[in-house]
Amino acid sequence: MHAAAEDEVHDEFFPLVPAPQDGSRWQAPTDLEQYLYLSRADNAYAYLRALAIEGVYYPVRLDRARAAGEGSYPMLTTETPDGRTVAQVYTPGLLPRPHPYLVYEYATLGALARIVPEEVDVLAVNAATPCEQYFLTDDEERETWLDLHHELFSPDALMDRVVTRRTGAPAPGPLLHGLACGAHLCFRNGDAWNTPHWHGMGYRGETERIADDWGVHGREDWLGIQERLLDQEVSPWYWDFVLGARTALLRAGARRVDPEQWRDCVESTLRARAQEGGTVDDDPEFGDFVAHLRALVGKVLRYEARFRADGLLPPDGFVRTIAAWDIGRGSKMARWGRGARYATESEMYAAIERAAQAAQAAYDSWEEFSAGYVLGRCLHFDAEEFGRWYTTVLDAHRALATDPDSPWRTVPFTCVSGDPG
């Protein structure tokens, strides 16, 4: 955790979104809120069904969330002038800027049936916004929530989709470009790729995510892995060493690189470096490493052939660097660290903008960036099985390449200043 910076303390505890004063239709931040806005007056049941599919977020005091440990987090409640007790929940597009003393937790509609305190009389959904709705919390209503949850909720249905904010996104520039660098993971997790205020899976979900997947249990852990990702030091150095050998041959004038020539270049360069560093040339472990890197050439060629067949690469394309694998994860790590309250807002923004700079230094297009990301993911996880570690990210690539709201269709790769030139 970190001490709250002066510029992080603000009054945006809960959303406050006025309706248009001229009576025009409200432009909601995402498709979900637009649907809730249109259905709120005439079809409360349809509104509730949408909540059952997507889930909601409820506010919790940060000190109580930290003290709760593995236990349940106490929901904040308010009292109305007529003495009724109200619990507030919100859909993701309406969550406010993260506050240093308040967090939001994710809950399904079925979970709400259990965790909304018995003394609560009313559930207020998206209060003080144009798509607000209110539900009683008696036993019959809670049974309805449970029934809808069992009928409609599926975690998988919330994944593998392009979600784009219509309002409240950053203007064109380094921040938006850096957010777009995390689009693969946003697609996989079903997150809005261009939201500047990050709540993710909720406070507990974000802390558990980076603890389980990354071994990050506090601010120092986050700072360390964030820096390594942005410096492209998490993936094995020798992946890009092997790819760089091919690039060096091409720059030296080769029209095309024969696989054996590539392998020989990898080995000779590696042995020359080893001798400079004092490594004995006939060391068995070093010999095994040389053989591993020679074999890696074949693995890369097989992946690239599959990429070309699947449209991930053009017919004559190849991958120059897997830097995108670390950069893309670095873009999301900045947000995950913010969701877990290990990062300040300014640290998150700075890290995301660094991701944009690193991406543009390494690549010339989103498609090239994507191919590098996919190859890195496959080398890390797939073991040439071409299973779900490949097919899921291939699906992401195809969706991001074609969806009209995708960052790849709306954010120029090499122009981040907002100047269309």
Side-chain angles (χ1 to χ4, degrees), residues 115-416:
I115 67 176
V116 171
E118 288 297 324
E119 66 270 19
V120 169
D121 303 299
V122 177
L123 181 73
V125 185
N126 292 335
T129 77
C131 64
E132 64 186 4
Q133 188 63 279
Y134 300 88
F135 299 92
L136 298 177
T137 58
D138 55 30
D139 290 343
E140 182 178 354
E141 181 69 21
R142 292 178 193 240
E143 283 296 324
T144 299
W145 298 353
L146 283 170
D147 290 343
L148 289 175
H149 170 77
H150 293 311
E151 175 190 352
L152 299 171
F153 183 74
S154 168
D156 291 344
L158 302 180
M159 302 172 67
D160 298 322
R161 57 182 183 168
V162 176
V163 181
T164 301
R165 289 189 67 98
R166 313 289 186 196
T167 64
L175 179 58
L176 187 66
H177 190 283
L179 290 170
C181 290
H184 286 98
L185 281 164
C186 287
F187 177 86
R188 179 59 180 156
N189 296 328
D191 299 322
W193 67 267
N194 60 340
T195 184
H197 303 318
W198 188 256
H199 296 272
M201 298 167 61
Y203 173 70
R204 173 174 285 175
E206 295 298 276
T207 54
E208 290 179 350
R209 184 210 305 264
I210 54 178
D212 295 344
D213 296 346
W214 291 88
V216 172
H217 300 279
R219 175 170 167 78
E220 292 305 314
D221 291 341
W222 174 79
L223 285 168
I225 192 64
Q226 182 69 73
E227 193 68 20
R228 291 179 60 216
L229 283 167
L230 294 177
D231 286 344
Q232 300 149 56
E233 294 177 348
V234 174
S235 296
W237 63 268
Y238 51 83
W239 291 354
D240 265 355
F241 173 81
V242 168
L243 295 175
R246 174 172 58 186
T247 301
L249 288 169
L250 291 170
R251 287 175 176 169
R255 299 187 61 180
R256 62 179 299 274
V257 177
D258 176 85
E260 197 62 25
Q261 179 189 19
W262 184 5
R263 294 186 182 94
D264 290 344
C265 179
V266 167
E267 179 170 351
S268 61
T269 306
L270 190 63
R271 290 190 182 280
R273 290 190 181 182
Q275 289 176 356
E276 291 173 3
T279 300
V280 180
D281 201 54
D282 59 356
D283 181 285
E285 289 188 6
F286 178 70
D288 290 343
F289 185 58
V290 170
H292 175 70
L293 264 57
R294 288 183 67 94
L296 186 57
V297 169
K299 181 180 287 189
V300 168
L301 287 169
R302 290 187 290 274
Y303 271 118
E304 289 177 335
R306 179 65 178 266
F307 290 3
R308 287 188 284 269
D310 289 337
L312 248 167
L313 284 172
D316 59 348
F318 59 90
V319 178
R320 291 186 292 109
T321 170
I322 51 84
W325 175 232
D326 279 0
I327 296 168
R329 293 183 297 168
S331 171
K332 283 308 293 281
M333 181 58 71
R335 285 170 266 188
W336 294 333
R338 182 69 180 135
R341 294 302 192 273
Y342 300 146
T344 67
E345 182 177 88
S346 60
E347 287 171 335
M348 178 186 75
Y349 289 163
I352 291 170
E353 291 183 1
R354 280 183 61 191
Q357 295 164 1
Q360 290 177 99
Y363 300 99
D364 296 322
S365 69
W366 287 118
E367 290 77 10
E368 190 182 11
F369 177 90
S370 181
Y373 181 94
V374 176
L375 181 58
R377 177 181 167 95
C378 287
L379 292 177
H380 187 89
F381 288 118
D382 183 62
E384 289 192 89
E385 295 178 0
F386 297 99
R388 68 181 185 89
W389 291 111
Y390 172 64
T391 57
T392 54
V393 78
L394 175 63
D395 290 342
H397 175 92
R398 288 171 169 168
L400 290 166
T402 57
D403 192 296
D405 291 328
S406 160
W408 298 1
R409 304 290 298 276
T410 59
V411 179
F413 189 81
T414 56
C415 175
V416 298

Side-chain angles (χ1 to χ4, degrees), residues 61-108:
R61 280 177 42 175
L62 179 56
D63 57 349
R64 292 184 178 177
R66 286 172 173 158
E70 296 297 319
S72 61
Y73 296 173
M75 297 183 71
L76 285 177
T77 59
T78 57
E79 299 293 326
T80 64
D82 61 2
R84 290 186 295 177
T85 302
V86 179
Q88 301 160 250
V89 299
Y90 302 91
T91 51
L94 287 167
L95 291 175
R97 175 186 174 192
H99 194 280
Y101 307 124
L102 187 78
V103 293
Y104 281 84
E105 274 305 325
Y106 175 79
T108 65

